[in-house]
Amino acid sequence: SGVSSAGSGSVFLPGEFVVQVAQELTTDGGHISHGWLGINGTNSSSKRPKGALVIAVDKTGPSRDHLQRGDVIEAIDGRRVRSMADLRSRLYLLGPGTPVDLRVDRGDTVRTVGLWLSSSP
């Protein structure tokens, strides 16, 4: 089954996701923590590279010194990101404190940004 995401279609939950959530619920007293980049975003337009377009960066989030408005996140840990919903579903599988490498398109430059996820405030 899928989880609807406003304006982004459906995200289908892979088996590994279901297994991880079940493990977290049983080992963490019913509490689940997910990795947080500290950004707001949307799907990039067809005129830009496909991926997750950064609309805003939280000043207290782990991305504050690495990402900026207008960046397009094209990949996380070498795996292609096709939309904002795709990025969210991947982050959902990662916990706070997890290091990630993001491939980011910023205008004419594509760079790899390494950072550590935190927990959402």
Side-chain angles (χ1 to χ4, degrees):
S1 81
V3 175
S4 180
S5 179
S8 301
S10 293
V11 178
F12 291 93
L13 307 176
E16 68 183 86
F17 170 80
V18 174
V19 170
Q20 182 167 342
V21 169
Q23 288 173 342
E24 288 183 39
L25 284 172
T26 57
T27 60
D28 208 10
H31 177 73
I32 300 174
S33 295
H34 305 286
W36 182 62
L37 281 175
I39 64 167
N40 288 327
T42 189
N43 298 338
S44 62
S45 70
S46 60
K47 295 179 184 177
R48 297 188 53 105
K50 294 289 184 192
L53 174 65
V54 177
I55 295 174
V57 180
D58 188 305
K59 293 177 184 177
T60 63
S63 297
R64 69 185 170 273
D65 296 327
H66 305 284
L67 298 177
Q68 63 186 26
R69 179 183 172 91
D71 285 349
V72 177
I73 300 171
E74 298 181 327
I76 183 169
D77 291 336
R79 295 180 64 198
R80 185 87 176 119
V81 170
R82 301 191 190 292
S83 65
M84 190 62 192
D86 187 20
L87 177 62
R88 275 194 306 265
S89 66
R90 290 178 195 213
L91 293 173
Y92 201 81
L93 295 173
L94 303 173
T98 303
V100 294
D101 288 321
L102 304 174
R103 187 173 69 229
V104 178
D105 183 294
R106 181 178 292 164
D108 295 333
T109 306
V110 176
R111 65 186 72 201
T112 299
V113 173
L115 55 87
W116 296 79
L117 299 176
S118 69
S119 56
S120 60

